[in-house]
Amino acid sequence: MTDTKPTVVLVHGAFADSSSWNGVVERLQRQGHPVLAVANPLRGLESDAAYVADVVNSVSGPVVLAGHSYGGVLITHAAGRTPNVEALVYIAAFQPETGESALELSTRFPGGKLGPETTDVLVHDGEPELSIKAEDFREVFAADVPEAAVLAATQRPVVQRALTTPLEGEPAWRRLPSWALVATGDNAIPAAAQEFMAERASSHVERVDASHAVSVSRPDAVADIILAAARATR
């Protein structure tokens, strides 16, 4: 039996990019874990999940797969095609059941501030793309991040159908152990929604007082729960 540490594959969500994991990556690497932060295309659930699966399948050896926000939908779907994934970690993320979409889950519980009044729509090649209005970005996404204005300016839009497409097939959390970090100050996915999804999936739950951008504001807490998942599956 080898003592090789699993590779951690990180999947960002909408309105962000892979640099949102920078602080987490540094902490995981210091603990000896190989890390990949996926450049999520944000072009649609099926194509995005297929891309994540291709990245994971390119890794030799076991993988801990972590997703933030919409990235949680992708890891739930992609892990069905990736036999080397040993654990799922949801960071202020969606944990959908079959037939559920990200948008439906985000509005099921009160408290969310992500909606038509806080988003801009740009139609590109006939596809509506969503971004958070600059003036609302801090409150909705990154209330505890000093550089929220920079994150707003560099955010990546997501095609609307990525958030409205329901999950097909069995969710991977039914067969894989999962961990969930609930951001109690989240204004994008209400904490009550995160708690509901984590309990339904029988995830190991940790909580942190943070905004939706928890991987930026609390990389220590995010790295800690990923490391706990990695230790438990070795």
Side-chain angles (χ1 to χ4, degrees), residues 86-122:
E86 296 192 343
L88 302 171
V89 186
Y90 294 88
I91 306 299
F94 294 108
Q95 297 177 254
E97 176 61 275
T98 305
E100 295 177 342
S101 71
L103 183 62
E104 187 272 325
L105 285 166
S106 69
T107 57
R108 186 179 297 184
F109 292 84
K113 297 182 179 181
L114 181 64
E117 67 284 353
T118 57
T119 52
D120 286 323
V121 180
L122 172 69

Side-chain angles (χ1 to χ4, degrees), residues 2 51-52 55-56 69 75 83 88 112-113 149 159 200 221 228:
T2 66
Y51 185 79
V52 170
V55 172
V56 173
S69 192
I75 70 173
L88 302 171
K113 297 182 179 181
V159 295
R200 180 176 64 181

Side-chain angles (χ1 to χ4, degrees), residues 99-174:
E100 295 177 342
S101 71
L103 183 62
E104 187 272 325
L105 285 166
S106 69
T107 57
R108 186 179 297 184
F109 292 84
K113 297 182 179 181
L114 181 64
E117 67 284 353
T118 57
T119 52
D120 286 323
V121 180
L122 172 69
V123 179
H124 174 66
D125 286 343
E127 284 269 25
E129 295 184 344
L130 304 180
S131 59
I132 301 175
K133 293 178 179 179
E135 62 269 26
D136 294 311
F137 192 90
R138 179 181 296 276
E139 183 176 12
V140 172
F141 200 91
D144 56 354
V145 178
E147 61 270 29
V150 174
L151 297 183
T154 59
Q155 66 176 295
R156 290 184 53 216
V158 59
V159 295
Q160 187 171 12
R161 64 183 170 85
L163 304 182
T164 59
T165 301
L167 180 75
E168 295 184 359
E170 182 184 49
W173 47 257
R174 286 199 179 281

Side-chain angles (χ1 to χ4, degrees), residues 23-24 27 181 208 214-225 227:
V24 179
R27 287 161 173 78
L181 184 65
V208 62
V214 60
S215 62
V216 179
S217 66
R218 292 297 305 275
D220 50 346
V222 174
D224 283 349
I225 195 169
L227 291 169

Side-chain angles (χ1 to χ4, degrees), residues 6 13 15 21 25-26 35 38 57 68 73 78 92 96 99 116 125 157 172 190 210 216 223:
F15 320 117
W21 295 108
V25 171
E26 292 170 0
V35 185
V38 176
N57 285 326
H68 172 247
V73 181
D125 286 343
V216 179

